[in-house]
């Protein structure tokens, strides 16, 4: 039986990425070392990571009927993401961001999101979820997430939450529908109470989450399973060009590994490797590996 596809729900954007030598200490004019217009958005980047790995993936998202929206869709189509249910909304501006990256791969992100997208999710093909291997969401579209996750729960399809600073305040509204909750470190410490990371993870597991985790950059990935076991996956060292989208790549690869039927520890290992490799290119998608490249990377380590 072929692997089941993943459905990613949420944000799609266009990033204008500029690489510079170093961040200036005061306002000035500087020349970029390189620049690229790169597809962005947490769910869209996760979907792109899955497609690059050879997985089947559909993105359920909203874009504007502007030139940026056309580029967003074209770049997703080019990498193999099914954009049938990426809805173009009339009279709305697509989300964009300016991303400034220094020689060390550290970044400054200035994003702009139009808040006039229609919120209703009644147009989504909810019946498709019965045949999915996993459903993921970045929590940027609450109505779409609730509809998709409720259907996934009804069909015993695993659900994966990607929680970052811009969406963590919505966590309580979907926590009861989530199986895997994976946080960025800043969002984890802001939106989950506890005196330590272990205590915060335990709080999530006790609330009904089967797998609660936090990405810690160079310090790897820390998670707790439903039995209370604390686990860690070390980060893979690479020559970093740009860390933009590394967390999105992690979530996409994790959801793909779940759809492949892998255990949590192997999901974490694969996701950590994909996130690391993604940092070797400029922009969120240039460094995303194929399945062959991922396997070679892991075999070498």
């Amino acid at each position: 039986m072929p692997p089941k596809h993943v459905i990613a729900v949420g944000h799609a954007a266009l990033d204008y990425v500029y690489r510079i030598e170093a961040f200036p200490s005061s306002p000035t004019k500087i020349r970029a070392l390189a620049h690229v217009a790169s597809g962005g958005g947490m769910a869209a980047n996760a979907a792109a990571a899955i497609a690059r790995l050879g997985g089947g993936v559909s993105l359920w998202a909203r874009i504007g009927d502007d030139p940026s929206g056309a580029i967003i869709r074209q770049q997703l189509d080019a990498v193999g993401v099914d954009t049938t249910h990426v809805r173009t909304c009339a009279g709305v501006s697509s989300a964009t961001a300016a991303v400034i990256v220094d020689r060390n791969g550290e970044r400054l992100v200035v994003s702009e999101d139009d808040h006039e997208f229609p919120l209703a999710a009644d147009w989504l093909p909810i019946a498709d979820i019965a045949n999915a291997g996993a459903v993921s969401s970045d929590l940027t579209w609450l109505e779409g997430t609730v509809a998709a996750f409720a259907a996934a729960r009804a069909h015993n399809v695993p659900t994966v939450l990607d929680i970052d600073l811009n969406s963590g305040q919505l966590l309580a509204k979907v926590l009861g529908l989530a199986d895997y909750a994976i946080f960025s470190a800043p969002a984890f410490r802001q939106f989950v109470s506890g005196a330590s990371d272990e205590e915060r993870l335990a709080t999530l597991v006790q609330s009904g989450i089967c797998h609660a985790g936090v990405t810690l950059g160079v310090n790897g990935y820390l998670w707790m399973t439903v039995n209370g076991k604390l686990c860690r996956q070390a980060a893979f060292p690479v020559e970093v060009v740009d860390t933009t989208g590394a967390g999105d790549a992690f979530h996409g690869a994790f959801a793909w590994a779940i759809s492949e039927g892998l255990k949590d520890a192997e999901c974490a290992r694969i996701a950590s490797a994909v996130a690391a490799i993604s940092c070797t290119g400029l922009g969120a998608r240039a460094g995303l590996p194929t399945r062959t490249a991922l396997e070679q990377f892991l075999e070498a380590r």
Side-chain angles (χ1 to χ4, degrees), residues 4-267:
K4 294 186 175 182
H5 72 291
V6 178
I7 296 170
V9 182
H11 194 230
L14 180 62
D15 294 345
Y16 294 95
V17 186
Y18 300 87
R19 193 177 191 203
I20 62 175
E21 182 66 38
F23 291 106
S25 58
S26 61
T28 186
K29 291 183 178 181
I30 56 177
R31 184 178 295 275
L33 302 173
H35 69 279
V36 63
S38 170
M42 294 164 65
N45 289 338
I50 294 168
R52 282 287 289 166
L53 289 167
V57 58
S58 301
L59 178 64
W60 294 1
R62 301 156 300 165
I63 57 175
D65 61 344
D66 55 359
S68 295
I71 297 171
I72 290 169
R73 186 183 296 276
Q74 184 275 326
Q75 291 198 1
L76 289 166
D77 288 339
V79 79
V81 175
D82 181 354
T83 61
T84 303
H85 303 294
V86 174
R87 172 163 284 196
T88 299
C89 302
V92 183
S93 297
S94 300
T96 59
V99 183
I100 316 300
V101 185
D102 72 3
R103 278 284 193 186
N104 298 316
E106 296 302 323
R107 60 203 166 89
L108 169 68
V109 180
V110 182
S111 61
E112 187 283 324
D113 298 311
D114 193 306
H115 298 290
E116 297 178 1
F117 281 112
L119 298 178
D122 54 2
W123 54 273
L124 291 174
I126 295 299
D128 291 359
I129 288 175
N131 297 315
V135 179
S136 68
S137 169
D138 59 17
L139 258 184
T140 58
W141 180 21
L142 179 62
E143 293 77 9
T145 300
V146 170
F149 275 31
R153 179 57 55 90
H155 292 286
N156 294 315
V157 174
T159 53
V160 185
L161 274 180
D162 177 355
I163 306 106
D164 206 350
L165 284 173
N166 63 350
S167 57
Q169 67 273 12
L170 300 175
L171 179 62
K173 297 182 181 295
V174 295
L175 201 58
L177 297 172
D179 299 311
Y180 296 79
I182 301 174
F183 292 75
S184 69
F188 186 59
R189 288 155 192 167
Q190 179 170 332
F191 297 113
V192 185
S193 60
S196 66
D197 286 348
E198 183 174 355
E199 190 173 304
R200 294 182 185 96
L201 292 173
T203 296
L204 289 166
V205 169
Q206 289 162 11
S207 75
I209 295 292
C210 297
H211 174 117
V214 55
T215 55
L216 299 169
V218 296
N219 293 317
Y221 177 62
L222 185 70
W223 80 93
M224 184 175 287
T225 57
V226 69
N227 62 5
K229 182 180 179 182
L230 189 67
C231 307
R232 185 184 293 273
Q233 168 64 50
F236 292 96
V238 295
E239 291 294 325
V240 174
V241 172
D242 181 6
T243 59
T244 302
D248 308 336
F250 183 101
H251 286 84
F254 199 102
W256 170 75
I258 290 171
S259 74
E260 294 271 312
L262 301 178
K263 301 295 185 182
D264 286 11
E266 188 60 16
C267 292

Side-chain angles (χ1 to χ4, degrees), residues 46-56 79 249 252-254 256-257 260 270 274 288-295:
I50 294 168
R52 282 287 289 166
L53 289 167
V79 79
F254 199 102
W256 170 75
E260 294 271 312
I270 286 171
V274 171
L288 292 174
T290 63
R291 184 166 187 164
T292 298
L294 170 64
E295 291 171 350

